[in-house]
Amino acid sequence: MSVKTSQAILALRQTLPNAHLVTPGTTDEYQSLNDSYLSGFESDLSPACIFLPKSKEEVAAFVRVLRPFVGDVQFAIRAAGRQPLPGCANVQDGITVDLRSLTGVEVRDGLVQVAAGESWGAVYERLEPRGLGVTGGGLSLFSTREGFICDNVVNFEVVVSSGEILNANARENTDLWVALRGGGNNLGIVTRFDFRTFKQGSIYAGFVWYFKQSFPDQMAALVKELTSADASVEAHLMLSIAYAQVFGNGNDVVCLNQLYYTQPIEEPPVLSPFVHVQPQRSEMNTMKIQTIFEATKEQSAAGKSMIRCLYMNVCVKADVETLITGGNIWCEELEPVKDAAGLMCSYTLQPYPVSQLRKTSENGGNVLGLDPDNGPVINVLLLSYWAGKNDDERVTSFMQKALKRIERNAKDRGTLVPFIYWNYAFLDQEALQSYSEENVRKLRAASKKYDPDGVFQTACPGGFKLFK
């Protein structure tokens, strides 16, 4: 630990004598907190101190205390710790601000106010008895109808670099409001999100497992639905080719459809091609009418970490041959690493339908740069979980090779979309630059206005920075 870092921690203790500060070697709590990230790549980093603020005022005090140390002391911001990008939510030898103690869910005036450390399960559990829903929790199952999660935030409560606590919404600090819809950790520390809610009851949802030979027809059905003039706004579809040593399926891959229909209707026609795909593992079919809370728990259970974890992604147009070839490329590159300990990985298609993209302008705008006039987009997510550090280089190399070939295939076909989803991006992917020059200019202008000294550019190195 550097002298300056020690001084910053001491200054924080003096300013907040009752603060929850955890340092290495003092208690078992430090290791427990540092081991609780989705990805071991984050846990590999060892901060000099983990600060768990109990209020927005403590977050603001932290920012004010840190200002004199900018350039000498680095910090990271951790909310859920679900993004596996190394260094995104943790920092070596610096101070990690862990927001898990900022909890609370309040429902009022058609909104749900969610503290930054709260779980999505708690949000849905609170809304369900009221017959309400919200667009949130990963790639939301309501996004086809309601738009991106960020487009449904009507207000951010955020601590900016001065230590001031601001509200950013359609009436005040509007440029910051739009910039935070995609700007990551470049602009401040968000302490509360206010989301719009909507009337919502039970849904028809679940998983369908089947075999590789059926995947091309499933991709064709997906493209047909996305490009249909009357595409359903109630259906949310995710298709995957997956491999896991625990499947007990020999050395072959299997396929998975994660399907959601946001009305309590069993087997709606739009889902029929995906529910009734044959042959399938019928004993693993979980399709049923269920509550949102139940569906969220099922999705979360499917994504638990196996210690090491990485995501990479590319976006393409809804084109059958691009998707089929991409899946074949992924399967080819997978072969040499199938023996990696505990490997579980997938080639997953997550669509952004036109109905979803149109909601951006309707809800005030964001900085992602996706235009509904260009048609539906499919995010191709490559994800891998595995057990030990010894296989880090092999698995990372497999993913990078597959990604480059998939990108080249899409580019050659004219179906590559120049957008990279930040939450699924790897270190060498330029997520911010993919938003378009105009949106990067908006983000830089907001940064200079709300962070004129570049605190979040200099002292908070994780993620993707605006002025690199």
Side-chain angles (χ1 to χ4, degrees), residues 106-117:
E106 295 292 333
V107 183
R108 60 180 68 180
D109 301 325
L111 303 178
V112 57
Q113 297 179 330
V114 184

Side-chain angles (χ1 to χ4, degrees), residues 64 95 115 205 223 327 345 377 407 429:
R64 291 193 296 270
I95 302 173
V223 170
C345 53
V377 173
E407 285 180 332
Q429 295 194 276

Side-chain angles (χ1 to χ4, degrees), residues 349-398:
L349 309 179
Q350 299 185 333
Y352 305 152
V354 170
S355 58
Q356 177 177 350
L357 302 180
R358 283 178 179 152
K359 285 291 182 178
T360 293
S361 59
E362 293 177 18
N363 292 337
N366 63 38
V367 292
L368 303 180
L370 291 168
D371 187 345
D373 291 341
N374 294 330
V377 173
I378 296 177
N379 181 277
V380 180
L381 165 63
L382 309 184
L383 67 83
S384 293
Y385 302 116
W386 65 101
K389 291 183 181 182
N390 290 342
D391 288 313
D392 284 359
E393 186 175 345
R394 293 176 63 211
V395 178
T396 302
S397 178
F398 140 62

Side-chain angles (χ1 to χ4, degrees), residues 178-208:
V178 174
L180 285 168
R181 291 172 159 194
N185 60 1
N186 281 286
L187 301 153
I189 303 177
V190 175
T191 53
R192 195 190 75 219
F193 303 83
D194 299 351
F195 291 90
R196 64 171 52 86
T197 62
F198 44 83
K199 292 291 183 182
Q200 183 64 50
S202 295
I203 64 175
Y204 180 63
F207 295 170
V208 177

